[in-house]
Amino acid sequence: MKSNDLLGRLAEGLARAAQALACCLLAGMFLLINIEVLCRYFFSTSTLVADEYSAYFFAAMVYLGLSHCLHHDKLIKIDLPESWSPVVKSPLVLFILSALGIAFNALLVYSMYLTTMASLRFQTRSIQPSQTVLAYPQLAVLAALCAAVLAGVFVLVRSFRATEGRVK
């Protein structure tokens, strides 16, 4: 989806940054899990944080991947009969679906914001031995969700431009 306009370049940059961060988190999970396995196998001990931090990394990675998938139109889709193809692939339907996706992700952002602010206010900590302040991993998920909303806005603008082009 290479584009020469500013909005297209911004969307591409956001998608690439989300992909790079998600890859880094996946590599971090790989390292944490393998270190945990080696510690248990060779030293009969545990890092006590591998499971917890792998879960945090995974949550952020999922939402970072969402923004990349939205930009490249790679979400899982259901194939409909060929007779429905003109309807499903019409710019108006894509515009409506983009708007609904933004609304859903904005609701997730709002909910995550409330959760994060409550964790910050009360200094909620994990029950694991690390006693991690939960607001920190929640902030990472909140940022990834915001990136997904931005990616949805870029998709909405792109579908609006396609709709506008067909009307003229």
Side-chain angles (χ1 to χ4, degrees), residues 1 10-11 15 25 28 32 63 67 72 83 86 97 100 119 121 127 154 160 163:
M1 292 252 155
L10 286 173
L25 290 172
L32 279 172
Y63 291 111
S67 62
H72 292 287
S83 60
L97 289 175
L100 289 172
S119 294
R121 181 176 181 198
I127 60 172
F154 293 138
F160 178 74
T163 304

Side-chain angles (χ1 to χ4, degrees), residues 30-51:
F30 174 80
L31 286 173
L32 279 172
I33 291 168
N34 281 297
I35 289 169
E36 177 72 16
V37 168
L38 291 173
C39 283
R40 285 180 184 233
Y41 185 73
F42 290 113
F43 305 112
S44 299
T45 188
S46 174
T47 61
L48 301 176
V49 296
D51 183 47

Side-chain angles (χ1 to χ4, degrees), residues 9-105:
R9 288 193 309 264
L10 286 173
E12 183 67 29
L14 177 67
R16 285 181 184 265
Q19 181 183 23
L21 283 171
C23 288
C24 288
L25 290 172
L26 183 61
M29 284 175 58
F30 174 80
L31 286 173
L32 279 172
I33 291 168
N34 281 297
I35 289 169
E36 177 72 16
V37 168
L38 291 173
C39 283
R40 285 180 184 233
Y41 185 73
F42 290 113
F43 305 112
S44 299
T45 188
S46 174
T47 61
L48 301 176
V49 296
D51 183 47
E52 177 186 7
Y53 280 85
S54 291
Y56 298 150
F57 289 179
F58 182 75
M61 186 177 63
V62 165
Y63 291 111
L64 286 167
L66 175 62
S67 62
H68 186 266
C69 288
L70 283 172
H71 176 71
H72 292 287
D73 195 28
K74 297 293 183 186
L75 292 172
I76 297 173
K77 297 181 180 176
I78 298 171
D79 289 335
L80 294 174
E82 197 64 34
S83 60
W84 282 78
S85 184
V87 175
V88 173
K89 293 182 180 178
S90 74
L92 181 60
V93 171
L94 293 175
F95 181 80
I96 292 168
L97 289 175
S98 297
L100 289 172
I102 290 170
F104 178 73
N105 284 328

